[in-house]
Amino acid sequence: MILTVTLNAALDVAYGVDSLRPSTSHRVGAGHRRAGGKGVNVARVPAGRGRAVTVTGLVGGPAGALVREDLRAVHGLRDALVPVSGESRRTVTVVSGDDGDATVSNERGPQVSASEWRAFACRFAELVREASVVSLCGSLPPGLPSDAYAQLVARAAETGVPTVLDTSGAPLLDAPGARPDVVKPDAAELASATGCEVAGAGAERLRGLGARSVVVSSGPGGLLAVTPEGRRRAVPPERLAGNPTGAGDACVAALAAGLADGARWVDVLSDAVALSAAAVAYERFRTTVTVEDLHAPQPH
């Protein structure tokens, strides 16, 4: 079982416009709403490939209820989310039809109390015993300590369960000391956290802090993996243009599945790049597919 952790789950709302122009108003359709947050998005990928996946994290309020309702519709996902009193955040994505670029606005998330965090930590300790790998993803909601992921990584390590971490900022620097098996920042997150503009140097710094392996994503440039076996770069066979939403989450899903299966790094990276590229194409097509009524339904 793959266990994904989304401490700042979200209700993702996406709108499409013909062309996104600053300082103007835009007419949009009904939009598309679904459960989101990095760990939730990661969970969809292995579930769609027939693997057992459990989703945990924190949710609350009407937005949190919609998140849980959407997850129930996904075959293969088990909902083990923990309720909080605050309301889960919303993210709003506007996709421009003329070039496929996406503009994203993220709310911060609910204020989480110390007692709510303790309740989640207890639930996590139960769930991790059933897992073959844990993926910990995304931002931290207000109220949680910056070492929240480090605490969870340490608990998983005590149980002998490998971990994949995808976060940014202070949590990215706090977690390596707990010895996560793989840390996956993107190039901008890595540079911001470590101060190293060169991805290889930033990855080595995280390894020096305790991370066993670091995989850095750079969009169309593919992946740089710095592991105990050395360095590898994996790139897609062609450059894909379009909305990158979901590509990083697909990459994390592939890394988690590879850890669970004990796969070779060369195979893990190939799968990660392929799934990331597929996510870019999916998002581009999903917002630009034309659906037309060919005829009215015939009366019976």
Side-chain angles (χ1 to χ4, degrees), residues 179-185 190 196 198-217 222-234 255 259 265-266 268-269:
R179 302 284 287 165
D181 291 270
V182 182
V183 178
K184 195 227 71 74
L190 182 64
C196 301
V198 178
E204 291 292 0
R205 180 172 180 199
L206 292 186
R207 291 199 68 227
L209 292 173
R212 299 179 191 277
S213 297
V214 180
V215 177
V216 186
S217 58
L223 303 174
L224 170 68
V226 182
T227 75
E229 299 176 7
R231 295 190 185 192
R232 289 185 174 93
R233 184 173 294 279
L255 295 173
L259 275 184
W265 267 110
V266 63
V268 172
L269 295 173

Side-chain angles (χ1 to χ4, degrees), residues 97-124:
D98 57 0
D99 57 14
D101 282 348
T103 301
V104 184
S105 299
N106 296 313
E107 294 180 355
R108 294 187 64 204
Q111 183 75 30
V112 178
S113 69
S115 61
E116 289 170 334
W117 172 236
R118 287 193 296 270
F120 174 80
C122 290
R123 181 66 172 134
F124 177 81

Side-chain angles (χ1 to χ4, degrees), residues 15-17 26-31 94:
Y15 296 106
V17 297
H26 299 78
R27 189 173 298 279
V28 300
V94 179

Side-chain angles (χ1 to χ4, degrees), residues 56-155:
T56 191
L58 303 171
V59 292
L66 290 173
V67 167
R68 304 190 85 157
E69 179 182 329
D70 184 65
L71 287 179
R72 284 194 291 271
V74 181
H75 180 71
L77 284 186
R78 171 191 172 199
D79 173 2
L81 292 162
V82 176
V84 295
S85 59
E87 180 160 7
S88 294
R89 66 194 177 111
R90 291 172 174 82
T91 70
V92 178
T93 302
V94 179
V95 181
S96 179
D98 57 0
D99 57 14
D101 282 348
T103 301
V104 184
S105 299
N106 296 313
E107 294 180 355
R108 294 187 64 204
Q111 183 75 30
V112 178
S113 69
S115 61
E116 289 170 334
W117 172 236
R118 287 193 296 270
F120 174 80
C122 290
R123 181 66 172 134
F124 177 81
E126 297 170 354
L127 292 169
V128 75
R129 290 196 290 268
E130 308 169 17
S132 55
V133 65
V134 180
S135 175
L136 307 106
C137 309
S139 62
L140 298 179
L144 290 192
S146 64
D147 69 344
Y149 281 131
Q151 295 178 38
L152 300 180
V153 169
R155 178 59 61 90

Side-chain angles (χ1 to χ4, degrees), residues 148-293:
Y149 281 131
Q151 295 178 38
L152 300 180
V153 169
R155 178 59 61 90
E158 291 172 1
T159 317
V161 178
T163 50
V164 180
L165 175 68
D166 180 10
T167 189
S168 60
L172 177 59
L173 288 180
D174 284 346
R179 302 284 287 165
D181 291 270
V182 182
V183 178
K184 195 227 71 74
D186 64 32
E189 292 166 344
L190 182 64
S192 177
T194 65
C196 301
E197 294 299 327
V198 178
E204 291 292 0
R205 180 172 180 199
L206 292 186
R207 291 199 68 227
L209 292 173
R212 299 179 191 277
S213 297
V214 180
V215 177
V216 186
S217 58
S218 56
L223 303 174
L224 170 68
V226 182
T227 75
E229 299 176 7
R231 295 190 185 192
R232 289 185 174 93
R233 184 173 294 279
V235 298
E238 60 185 80
R239 188 178 183 90
L240 291 175
N243 178 6
T245 301
D249 301 327
C251 175
V252 173
L255 295 173
L259 275 184
D261 296 342
R264 300 181 307 157
W265 267 110
V266 63
D267 296 325
V268 172
L269 295 173
S270 295
D271 202 30
V273 170
L275 282 173
S276 298
V280 173
Y282 168 78
E283 288 294 334
R284 183 178 66 199
F285 293 151
R286 182 174 67 84
T287 57
T288 57
V289 167
T290 299
V291 179
E292 58 179 325
D293 292 325

